[in-house]
């Protein structure tokens, strides 16, 4: 494995891999030609520069399709998973307005799903937010009950970015398919950590992001199933008609190539990497549990991402702990609400009390985390908790 470029020898240990991942050196290598010699415009394949850029994009399209069991012509490249989620939710709702005005999602979704849902409400649509249980799971019966004759789209994430909880996507999608309702899933956190098969899951739309799987920031994709009748999707951007008319704008070739390369690596490592992450996570968990028996873990004990721990040390404020830790980089329970004093909407929806939620921290192990780093990080965190007067 090529070495990961480090800030400096004593840079903090990076345990925030659900927020973003470092770029894999092999991905960087794959991207370099598109940032240097292969500078053609892929929309202009009439000369060699443009043709090679267009070929590179089509190779990347096939690579991402391969990882999720899709066909290449079912992949639309976007600038981020935030854009993919916006395109899926706004695009399907606006494109199917004549059929209905109701969308269903879950209370624990990422802001990039809740944001467009809020926008739909401002446009006159109705949105239902299905609750979750204490472990963060949606009950398929609750989803079934939320559907009406006016429902056009359901969006439920595959794996939660704050607590790691996996949703029963195949069951949820089945309920929707049976009723002719389109199903979208945000699979950003699930990609590369568990097998994804859009056919087995029977989902119609699925979002991914490159920078959560050791690819570059600023690259995402949306899977849109080719079916008849065709899924009506209204674009967000209009112009040159790139990406089959769904996403105008010159494709960022280097980023798309990086996403493709990251997908190839994820595919190769799917059989071994999640198991390695799980071993490191369980080691960290066991160390915390033995030192602080009152520690609270949030999420589901088994139906969860292999690399993530969300926890609270009773009596300790999450922010204080994060700032007290000079040599370990970790996230707050919710990275997206950083800077605000509100407890995470995910933990709140799970019924976790305000104080416990404000105390929560998130640890995310990654491809480049070593066993030695886990030992050091555990001791640092435990030392800081003790210093702050924790249990
Ligand atoms: C990071 C993340 C996103 C947003 O992805 P970007 O590419 O950064 O826009 C969406 N959903 C989930 C679950 C995420 O973790």
């Amino acid at each position: 494995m090529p070495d990961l470029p480090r800030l400096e020898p004593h840079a903090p240990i990076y345990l925030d891999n659900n927020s973003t991942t470092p770029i894999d050196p092999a991905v960087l290598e794959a991207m370099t030609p598109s940032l240097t010699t292969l500078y053609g415009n892929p929309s202009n394949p009439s000369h060699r520069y443009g043709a090679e850029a267009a070929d590179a994009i089509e190779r990347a399209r096939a690579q991402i399709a391969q990882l999720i069991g899709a066909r290449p012509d079912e992949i639309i490249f976007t600038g981020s998973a935030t854009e993919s989620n916006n395109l899926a939710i706004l695009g399907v709702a606006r494109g199917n307005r004549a059929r209905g005005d109701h969308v269903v999602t879950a209370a624990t979704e990422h802001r990039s799903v809740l944001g467009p849902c809020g926008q739909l409400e401002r446009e006159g649509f109705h949105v239902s937010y299905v609750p979750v249980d204490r472990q963060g799971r949606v009950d398929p019966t609750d989803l079934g009950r939320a559907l009406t004759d006016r429902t056009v789209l359901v969006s439920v994430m595959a794996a939660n970015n704050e607590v790691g909880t996996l949703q029963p996507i195949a069951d949820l999608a089945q309920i929707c398919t049976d009723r002719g309702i389109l199903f979208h899933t945000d699979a950003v956190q699930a990609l590369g950590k568990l097998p994804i098969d859009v056919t087995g899951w029977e989902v119609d739309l699925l979002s991914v992001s490159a920078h959560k799987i050791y690819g570059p920031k600023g690259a995402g994709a949306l899977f849109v199933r080719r079916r008849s009748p065709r899924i009506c999707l209204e674009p967000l951007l209009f112009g040159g008609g790139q990406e089959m008319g769904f996403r105008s704008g010159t494709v960022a070739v280097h980023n798309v190539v990086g996403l493709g390369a990251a997908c190839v690596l994820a595919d190769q490592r799917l059989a071994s990497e999640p198991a390695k992450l799980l071993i490191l996570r369980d080691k960290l968990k066991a160390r915390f549990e033995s030192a602080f028996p009152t520690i609270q873990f949030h999420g589901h004990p088994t139906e969860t991402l292999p690399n993530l721990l969300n926890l609270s040390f009773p009596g300790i404020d999450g922010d204080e702990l994060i700032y007290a830790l000079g040599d370990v980089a970790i996230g707050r329970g919710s990275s997206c609400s950083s800077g605000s004093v509100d407890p995470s909407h995910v933990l709140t929806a799970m019924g976790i009390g305000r104080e416990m939620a404000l105390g929560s921290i998130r640890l995310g192990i990654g491809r480049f985390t070593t066993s030695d780093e886990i030992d050091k990080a555990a001791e640092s965190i435990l030392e800081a908790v003790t210093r702050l007067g924790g249990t």
Side-chain angles (χ1 to χ4, degrees), residues 140-181:
T141 317
D142 287 338
L143 178 69
R145 269 201 287 264
L147 305 177
T148 74
D149 292 342
R150 317 252 333 135
T151 312
V152 289
L153 176 70
V154 171
S155 179
V156 178
M157 70 202 320
N160 186 271
N161 50 297
E162 292 185 31
V163 293
T165 302
L166 309 181
Q167 298 295 352
I169 293 301
D171 294 345
L172 300 176
Q174 175 86 56
I175 292 169
C176 298
T177 310
D178 287 351
R179 296 190 50 165
I181 297 166

Side-chain angles (χ1 to χ4, degrees), residues 308-321:
L308 188 152
L309 279 181
N310 187 312
L311 55 94
S312 307
F313 294 100
I316 296 286
D317 178 78
D319 269 351
E320 253 181 72
L321 176 56

